[in-house]
Amino acid sequence: MTSEVTAKGTGTAGSASGQGASRRRRAPVKRLMAPAVIFLLVWMIVPLGMTIYYSFQNYNLMMPMMRGFAGIGNYAILLTDATFWDALGNTLVLVVACLAVTVGLGLLLALLFNATFIGRGVARTLAISPFFVMPVVTGLIWKNMLFHPVYGLISWAMRSLGLEPIDWLAHHPMLSIIIMISWEWTPFALLILLTGLQSLPEDQIEAVRLDGANRWQEFRHIVIPHLGQVLYVVVMLESIFFLTSFAEIYATTSGGPGTATTNLPYYIYLNAFFQYDIGLSSAAAIGAVILANIFAIFLIRFVAGNLNAGSAR
Amino acid sequence: MAVVELKNVVKRYGGGLTGKAARSEEAPAVDDFNLVTEDGEFVVLVGPSGCGKSTTMRMIAGLEDNTEGEIRIGGRDVSDVAARDRDIAMVFQSYALYPHMSVFENMAFSLRLKKAPKSEIDQRVNEAASILDITHLLDRKPRALSGGQRQRVALGRAIVRQPQVFLMDEPLSNLDAKLRVDMRAEIVKLHRKLGVTTFYVTHDQTEAMTMGQRIVVMRDGRIQQIDTPNALYARPANMFVAGFIGTPSMNFMKMRVGDDTRSLKGETARFRAGDAFTGDLLDSHRGQEVWVGIRPEHLQHHEGDAGALENGLSGTVDVVEPLGSVTMVQLEIDGHRITAQLEGDTRARSGDTITLTCESARLHLFDVVSEQALARQPVESAATA
């Protein structure tokens, strides 16, 4: 009995002093974290809140008299606007196509650059360089120097082969945008996948060879599972960037012809800076946020289920 | 199960795309390697790091090409056969388990690639798992296993294959000391049970001595000696093997062969060579210096007058290391550092001058220039002396 009491007594005393110590230790943590938290709040939550607020307002800069609460009016307009649905479709096509091209091509190039050959260092640097070109510059280079039906390099090549040059941006606008964005982003996939390949232990490849695997089985059973997590990162980051593609479209097709290359960011831009309809564009922006979230959740589920679960280590 | 033959095998690096020009001038990584195993033999390749033992094994596996020479497995020349078609299983130092597969999948992988029927895969994996006592781990991923368990899985993956040859590349070096001793015995038992020709690479001479039926001692890409453990210990072919095999390693001191060709003289040490050495060999070194090798465990403490001893050396004790059953004593004799393994109750203290003696049959003599063993004692005299 006595011992129990003593034990309890010391226990409480111990925990009390422990709490005191941890409180003392925790206090400055909060204060030190505060600036970052406040900064994040101001930077992200306030604009998001304002966007949500405007999306429920009648607010067109050209009609300053028509202010006031709009209810779901902006959203109703949005959902009945054929252009919005086009933009949504274009966004999805753009993201999925660019993901497929950049990851596929990036993986092929990564396998290539993982091999040893003369001048590998220089070749790697060159292969990665498109990533350092600004999006607007990318658009202008492709528009004026490559895709141009008269002065473009591709047209020249086609003419030298006796073919009719194609006006890429006019006749295959979406394909052109996909080519440009993929050109810009394949190096990113290459870079990350290459580091993934280089972290693959040599002896695993040797073990699988001795186990009787051919090159394809080696790739299928060892390389791909090893790259699982890296692929996940690439797909995640790229899809977020592709969802917000804007500059390449702005600098080349301006969303056209018609609405052929109008994606969600460009649709928002058009509504805000051509129609001056802040309310509607805010509603579209909220739509984009929701889309991005759906995308992210789907991707996480999909990628985690297929690749990541097995290879996490 | 198969006989493995290596004939004049040479491996040179360099000359490739990434190789620097200077490297092609370098000595070959493996030079003129010749060995014919018996069917089901356990051969250990041992030597210091960079001696070419791993390269030799990788050439047998087909992970490296041999620059020259011929490698035959079961009579078939495999020089142009890809690693995956050589029917060889290898256990890696790092185990190289496939991290995304369960233990079962790891072990079944090679059979699945061969499209073996599922019932056969199940049976063979379960059989191997029960031999290695890892049946309860089959569903786990490698990352959930301890080092010793991973080691067993790596062995299991090799056993399931039922290959012609096992290759083991320092498989125990990532385990802690106690586990290493246990696994050592287990691998030997496993080999006895399966009877598959096995190559085992290690830098640890204790592992080599305890496991190998035959040991290949290598240095700088060259074979120094191929022999049974006992023969390596009793009759090392040169000073390198003599120093490498046995712990603590052999003591060496320079002594001069006397004019009678029977006596060896240092500054204070002296030996009578006795019958263990043929007179001719010492004859040819009359009046010259030779290296005399004495194993620490063959030195005995001589209490009493040193002057009357035929075989004796005395010196000042530097360090005394009592290990319980034995006491290691380090002393300085004629400018050479000598370690003696004396009985546990030896009462030597540092600073003491003590006299050691050694039976002449236990001496090893080496040429000063070539470092090759001079006179080999017959095994019988070494064993009975």
Side-chain angles (χ1 to χ4, degrees), chain A residues 203-204 206 210-211 221 312, chain B residues 58 94 97-98 100 143 161:
Chain A
D203 53 12
Q204 286 211 2
E206 291 175 349
L210 287 171
D211 264 353
H221 294 291
Chain B
R58 291 169 60 81
S94 60
L97 299 177
Y98 311 131
H100 55 285
R143 68 173 177 277
R161 295 267 310 278

Side-chain angles (χ1 to χ4, degrees), chain B residues 92-295:
Chain B
F92 291 82
Q93 180 176 355
S94 60
Y95 317 136
L97 299 177
Y98 311 131
H100 55 285
M101 298 184 198
S102 69
V103 168
F104 182 92
E105 288 167 326
N106 259 286
M107 289 168 71
F109 187 65
S110 62
L111 296 176
R112 265 176 48 206
L113 288 180
K114 275 189 216 148
K115 307 226 180 331
K118 204 181 169 310
S119 57
E120 191 196 336
I121 295 178
D122 283 350
Q123 187 229 324
R124 271 161 76 170
V125 171
N126 283 319
E127 200 179 295
S130 70
I131 291 175
L132 291 163
D133 200 20
I134 50 174
T135 312
H136 60 291
L137 304 174
L138 285 176
D139 293 332
R140 292 212 202 153
K141 289 276 167 61
R143 68 173 177 277
L145 302 178
S146 69
Q149 289 168 333
R150 285 179 202 188
Q151 173 65 63
R152 281 165 192 272
V153 176
L155 282 171
R157 194 169 66 179
I159 294 172
V160 166
R161 295 267 310 278
Q162 302 178 349
Q164 294 205 53
V165 180
F166 277 133
L167 303 178
M168 304 192 187
D169 191 359
E170 310 219 8
L172 304 183
S173 51
N174 286 357
L175 300 180
D176 61 62
K178 187 188 171 315
L179 208 52
R180 205 178 302 167
V181 175
D182 293 346
M183 282 308 288
R184 208 158 75 190
E186 204 142 341
I187 289 176
V188 170
K189 252 192 278 175
L190 200 63
H191 171 257
R192 213 177 296 143
K193 194 167 186 168
L194 301 171
V196 177
T197 311
T198 304
F199 279 84
Y200 186 102
V201 162
T202 179
H203 62 263
D204 178 356
Q205 61 93 16
T206 317
E207 250 173 52
M209 294 294 275
T210 50
M211 298 177 79
Q213 290 173 340
R214 250 196 318 166
I215 298 173
V216 181
V217 184
M218 294 182 74
R219 179 171 69 153
D220 299 338
R222 291 186 157 274
I223 295 178
Q224 302 294 308
Q225 191 171 0
I226 305 179
D227 234 321
T228 61
N230 284 336
L232 278 183
Y233 178 81
R235 286 167 293 151
N238 57 37
M239 280 179 75
F240 174 75
V241 177
F244 192 75
I245 300 294
T247 31
S249 55
M250 189 184 276
N251 299 302
F252 295 105
M253 48 201 304
K254 260 188 188 150
M255 296 177 90
R256 193 171 292 281
V257 179
D259 287 336
D260 58 355
T261 73
R262 281 279 163 218
S263 62
L264 294 157
K265 283 200 179 71
E267 281 167 47
T268 62
R270 59 179 177 277
F271 288 111
R272 257 206 106 67
D275 299 330
F277 296 92
T278 54
D280 296 348
L281 271 165
L282 284 184
D283 209 23
S284 63
H285 284 73
R286 182 198 302 256
Q288 291 174 16
E289 282 196 320
V290 292
W291 280 110
V292 178
I294 312 165
R295 294 201 182 276

